[in-house]
Amino acid sequence: MSRAINATEVGNHIGELIQQVVEQQQPLIIESEGKPQVVMLSIAEYERLLSANRVEVGQTPLGRKLWQIRQQIVATGEPLLDWDEVNQEVAERRGENRQDIA
């Protein structure tokens, strides 16, 4: 279970907080103006997340092909779609009215 702390408190107690995050292996959510803004993770957890992401992308033939296509698009300078744009295009292809989807 992660906990949240105000950014001002982080500045006042950074050393203690780093030690807690590492020892307890629990993320710390840092808020600014009452809104979550960033997460502090131990380096071990961060590396685990990076590793898990790499495994998902390249472990299947489809994943490898999609990664290759993505790299080709990035190389052209063409901007990639964000999730809202992807969802909009999917809805349009399905013949759905995007305004009806929440």
Side-chain angles (χ1 to χ4, degrees):
M1 179 79 176
S2 57
R3 67 183 183 114
I5 189 170
N6 182 281
T8 303
E9 289 299 309
V10 171
N12 294 336
H13 303 283
I14 189 71
E16 297 166 42
L17 294 170
I18 290 172
Q19 184 177 355
Q20 289 174 9
V21 167
V22 171
E23 289 176 0
Q24 298 171 9
Q25 289 297 302
Q26 290 185 331
L28 177 65
I29 298 169
I30 302 171
E31 298 177 341
S32 180
E33 298 179 7
K35 296 179 184 173
Q37 299 293 322
V38 296
V39 176
M40 182 186 296
L41 298 171
S42 69
I43 194 69
E45 179 66 5
Y46 174 72
E47 289 173 348
R48 186 192 69 76
L49 290 170
L50 285 179
S51 175
N53 188 40
R54 276 188 231 115
V55 169
E56 291 174 18
V57 170
Q59 288 299 308
T60 66
L62 176 60
R64 286 188 292 273
K65 184 64 176 173
L66 289 172
W67 184 254
Q68 180 184 29
I69 292 168
R70 181 190 188 282
Q71 295 302 89
Q72 290 170 350
I73 293 169
V74 169
T76 68
E78 181 75 23
L80 298 172
L81 298 177
D82 64 28
W83 280 115
D84 289 336
E85 293 167 323
V86 169
N87 289 326
Q88 177 71 36
E89 185 166 331
V90 168
E92 288 171 3
R93 288 177 184 232
R94 291 180 176 165
E96 298 171 357
N97 183 346
R98 194 63 192 144
Q99 296 161 346
D100 295 340
I101 300 173

